[in-house]
Amino acid sequence: MATLLLRLGAAAIALLVALPCLAEAYDPLDPNGNITIKWDIIQWTSDGYVAVVSIYNYQKYRHIQAPGWHLGWVWAKKEIIWTMTGGQATEQGDCSQFKGDIPHCCKRDPTTVDLLPGAPYNMQVANCCKGGVLTSWVQDPVSAVASFQISVGRSGTNNKTVKAPKNFTLKAPGPGYTCGVAENVKLPTKFISLDGRRTTQAHVTWSVTCTYSQFVAQRAPTCCVSLSSFYNETIINCPKCSCGCHNNITKPGSCVEGNSPYLVSVVNGPGKGSSIPLVQCSSHMCPIRVHWHVKFNYRDYWRVKITITNWNYRMNYSQWNLVVQHPNFDNITTIFSFNYKALNPFGVINDTAMLWGIKYYNDLLMVAGPDGNVQSELLFRKEPSTFTLGKGWAFPRRIYFNGESCVMPPPDSYPWLPNSSPRLKKTAFLILSIIVCAMLAFLHNHLVLDKYCGNKC
Ligand SMILES: *[C@@H]1O[C@H](CO)[C@@H](O)[C@H](O)[C@H]1NC(C)=O
Ligand SMILES: *[C@@H]1O[C@H](CO)[C@@H](O)[C@H](O)[C@H]1NC(C)=O
Ligand SMILES: *[C@@H]1O[C@H](CO)[C@@H](O)[C@H](O)[C@H]1NC(C)=O
Ligand SMILES: *[C@@H]1O[C@H](CO)[C@@H](O)[C@H](O)[C@H]1NC(C)=O
Ligand SMILES: *[C@@H]1O[C@H](CO)[C@@H](O)[C@H](O)[C@H]1NC(C)=O
Ligand SMILES: *[C@@H]1O[C@H](CO)[C@@H](O)[C@H](O)[C@H]1NC(C)=O
Ligand SMILES: *[C@@H]1O[C@H](CO)[C@@H](O)[C@H](O)[C@H]1NC(C)=O
Ligand SMILES: *[C@@H]1O[C@H](CO)[C@@H](O)[C@H](O)[C@H]1NC(C)=O
């Protein structure tokens, strides 16, 4: 009976956890998250215009990490790019028909990238030159913006003749983003001068919105969750094959043994510097593992320890972040050594938190190895009506690392509370024992009486 109840509870949690996976097209925890591209024409020229192109990462917790964004489009007419500052086109294309001044890019469908940090001073503009890296909006809104300046020719020279580029594509650097059409913004962007004493405005502003979907990205999971608790010594590992399967026969070289004497040569071997993870061999094969340990149960509080471990030998995760959903975040009291912000995707329910590292302390999650982890402890105030250690309640409902959903163990495998179901069993056993004893006593009495009085009683 008790087991049945436990199973039902587990099934309910399983359903709750599974539901979001059915509709991953938009992110329920960041429903308005998007990347907006603003194309501001700030000056007309003899054959075209000069524009400031800005990329705003309005996503709460998804960022763009190295090697950075790639922004592409298709020109509506026969435009060319004369010059670019703060960014560059990856290919020049065929400019053979030009004499004298050679354009920066003649392709019909240019792809542009950011410049690297430390670009020559005369190639820089505000918000440029970050190697295409954009932080998430919550972590650092200032570093969530990228800009470059572009001088366009053969485009028309007034707001009636220019046409917005089409088919914008944003790669980060892989797939995942889908961009809408460029729209003419009625209120043009205003630019404030450095001293804040003068405002100028764009002649024309176009705006494009791009949204992310894990489904479009078609990426295998990159993160998994393991669980443990003080009340049960079992450690629930990440589900087997969460991010891939370890098979050194069909897929040799897909991972490295942590104790391999050749570790250094493998890590520095072919593929060095690529963004494809080289993970330590494990049953889950994930580059990132998040461990949730229920550590203490005090009278009014309870305590959790979170450990994020990097299993990837090829990546230092800079500016990493974690999104965790648990009903007790409405009563979070203290978070040690991580930054914290409450996310309220549904306005009223305060059950989702964003955690990230403290600058210069643990905002860099180092490559796999002895330093490849970061830790924090969370202290929750108990709400007596909801708090329980039973039915896996103390474990998180969902975890995202860098905006990617982490694979959770199946809820019916969560560490059991030793005295939740057994206590009921004990009660049942006690009642059964009483009944049996009573019966025995009854029989005994009869037998004893029988013995003494035989058939006379
Ligand atoms: C994109 O995000 C911004 C900032 O959160 C928001 O104002 C805007 O409405 C969003 N755009 C779309 C199309 O969702
Ligand atoms: C072009 O500019 C003129 C004058 O600034 C303005 O009246 C008109 O609405 C603009 N047209 C478009 C399509 O933006
Ligand atoms: C723009 O995208 C649409 C739809 O994806 C496609 O049909 C069209 O061919 C693209 N245009 C160009 C010029 O690439
Ligand atoms: C394959 O992996 C198993 C288990 O990890 C190990 O015992 C075995 O030695 C490996 N074989 C080779 C050829 O590396
Ligand atoms: C990770 O960071 C450390 C220290 O900043 C650096 O020495 C190492 O080369 C980096 N590794 C990778 C793979 O980027
Ligand atoms: C959510 O919790 C945070 C931190 O306790 C608090 O600052 C915020 O006001 C709460 N929001 C709501 C809607 O309860
Ligand atoms: C926990 O949070 C809820 C909602 O914010 C509040 O009503 C309740 O009083 C809090 N409980 C404790 C024990 O602080
Ligand atoms: C700990 O939890 C596991 C389920 O994950 C269960 O099989 C085991 O019996 C529990 N241990 C105790 C001592 O209750």
Side-chain angles (χ1 to χ4, degrees):
M1 183 59 192
T3 321
L4 185 70
L5 275 179
L6 202 76
R7 294 279 148 160
L8 278 176
I13 293 176
L15 201 67
L16 278 177
V17 171
L19 265 179
C21 310
L22 302 176
E24 214 60 88
Y26 98 115
D27 187 342
L29 296 181
D30 187 9
N32 295 320
N34 68 71
I35 290 188
T36 298
I37 298 153
K38 281 251 166 75
W39 191 293
D40 291 305
I41 298 181
I42 53 167
Q43 193 189 326
W44 301 114
T45 60
S46 58
D47 72 335
Y49 61 81
V50 176
V52 174
V53 181
S54 304
I55 305 173
Y56 293 86
N57 181 14
Y58 287 133
Q59 301 180 102
K60 283 180 181 163
Y61 46 78
R62 189 166 288 109
H63 62 191
I64 296 184
Q65 59 195 19
W69 53 262
H70 286 59
L71 180 66
W73 61 82
V74 178
W75 289 117
K77 306 206 284 187
K78 292 211 176 327
E79 291 91 334
I80 45 128
I81 303 173
W82 280 118
T83 56
M84 266 178 91
T85 42
Q88 61 187 359
T90 54
E91 283 178 67
Q92 184 183 34
D94 179 9
C95 294
S96 58
Q97 51 175 298
F98 288 88
K99 297 192 188 93
D101 282 350
I102 307 288
H104 177 75
C105 172
C106 302
K107 278 182 75 93
R108 211 171 122 62
D109 55 346
T111 297
T112 56
V113 293
D114 199 359
L115 298 182
L116 296 175
Y121 203 69
N122 62 354
M123 295 299 288
Q124 293 187 17
V125 294
N127 296 324
C128 86
C129 314
K130 296 181 273 204
V133 173
L134 292 181
T135 59
S136 72
W137 194 256
V138 166
Q139 271 165 284
D140 185 2
V142 173
S143 310
V145 188
S147 299
F148 58 82
Q149 220 177 78
I150 185 169
S151 171
V152 179
R154 299 186 175 183
S155 61
T157 54
N158 62 61
N159 69 357
K160 303 235 163 46
T161 50
V162 287
K163 282 229 165 70
K166 294 179 177 159
N167 286 21
F168 276 89
T169 51
L170 180 67
K171 299 225 164 78
Y177 288 92
T178 315
C179 298
V181 293
E183 286 178 21
N184 204 338
V185 179
K186 290 276 170 299
L187 285 173
T189 307
K190 293 209 157 95
F191 297 93
I192 301 168
S193 68
L194 275 180
D195 60 8
R197 281 152 49 86
R198 180 180 147 77
T199 309
T200 52
Q201 73 178 56
H203 302 329
V204 175
T205 297
W206 294 313
S207 168
V208 180
T209 308
C210 306
T211 50
Y212 182 83
S213 146
Q214 203 162 346
F215 177 72
V216 172
Q218 285 193 321
R219 207 178 290 158
T222 50
C223 156
C224 65
V225 179
S226 57
L227 307 167
S228 63
S229 65
F230 67 87
Y231 53 79
N232 182 324
E233 73 280 9
T234 314
I235 295 171
I236 308 303
N237 221 322
C238 283
K240 198 160 185 265
C241 297
S242 291
C243 304
C245 288
H246 176 202
N247 188 331
N248 55 5
I249 295 155
T250 59
K251 279 192 242 160
S254 56
C255 64
V256 197
E257 298 293 346
N259 54 5
S260 162
Y262 311 109
L263 183 58
V264 174
S265 61
V266 175
V267 169
N268 290 323
K272 184 176 190 234
S274 104
S275 57
I276 298 162
L278 177 66
V279 296
Q280 186 175 327
C281 296
S282 63
S283 63
H284 54 77
M285 294 285 279
C286 291
I288 294 290
R289 187 190 68 189
V290 180
H291 186 79
W292 178 282
H293 175 65
V294 180
K295 192 173 177 188
F296 284 120
N297 181 19
Y298 309 108
R299 196 171 64 95
D300 296 327
Y301 296 92
W302 61 291
R303 196 180 180 104
V304 166
K305 179 173 182 178
I306 294 185
T307 308
I308 309 171
T309 310
N310 185 358
W311 293 63
N312 184 357
Y313 287 107
R314 278 213 187 110
M315 181 82 137
N316 290 317
Y317 291 87
S318 60
Q319 307 255 319
W320 59 269
N321 67 60
L322 206 62
V323 172
V324 187
Q325 196 176 24
H326 188 281
N328 217 158
F329 271 114
D330 60 351
N331 294 99
I332 185 86
T333 306
T334 312
I335 295 185
F336 302 91
S337 56
F338 283 176
N339 286 307
Y340 160 80
K341 185 173 194 305
L343 299 182
N344 281 316
F346 310 111
V348 276
I349 312 167
N350 205 357
D351 66 348
T352 309
M354 180 168 157
L355 310 173
W356 69 99
I358 293 169
K359 204 163 188 175
Y360 305 125
Y361 175 56
N362 58 6
D363 64 334
L364 183 67
L365 176 53
M366 297 288 282
V367 291
D371 298 324
N373 66 79
V374 287
Q375 299 181 344
S376 167
E377 297 201 358
L378 317 182
L379 194 63
F380 294 98
R381 191 179 175 84
K382 286 183 189 171
E383 173 66 48
S385 60
T386 50
F387 177 81
T388 168
L389 287 175
K391 294 181 188 154
W393 186 87
F395 296 108
R397 305 298 180 263
R398 268 201 258 205
I399 291 192
Y400 288 7
F401 179 82
N402 281 353
E404 302 284 332
S405 169
C406 300
V407 180
M408 301 279 297
D412 61 355
S413 73
Y414 285 10
W416 289 3
L417 197 58
N419 51 1
S420 69
S421 55
R423 183 194 285 155
L424 284 172
K425 276 190 200 137
K426 258 184 216 154
T427 322
F429 182 66
L430 207 72
I431 293 171
L432 205 68
S433 319
I434 292 171
I435 295 172
V436 169
C437 284
M439 276 169 73
L440 280 178
F442 179 71
L443 285 175
H444 179 89
N445 281 352
H446 269 255
L447 289 176
V448 170
L449 286 179
D450 275 357
K451 198 171 169 188
Y452 277 88
C453 33
N455 293 335
K456 282 170 236 160
C457 300

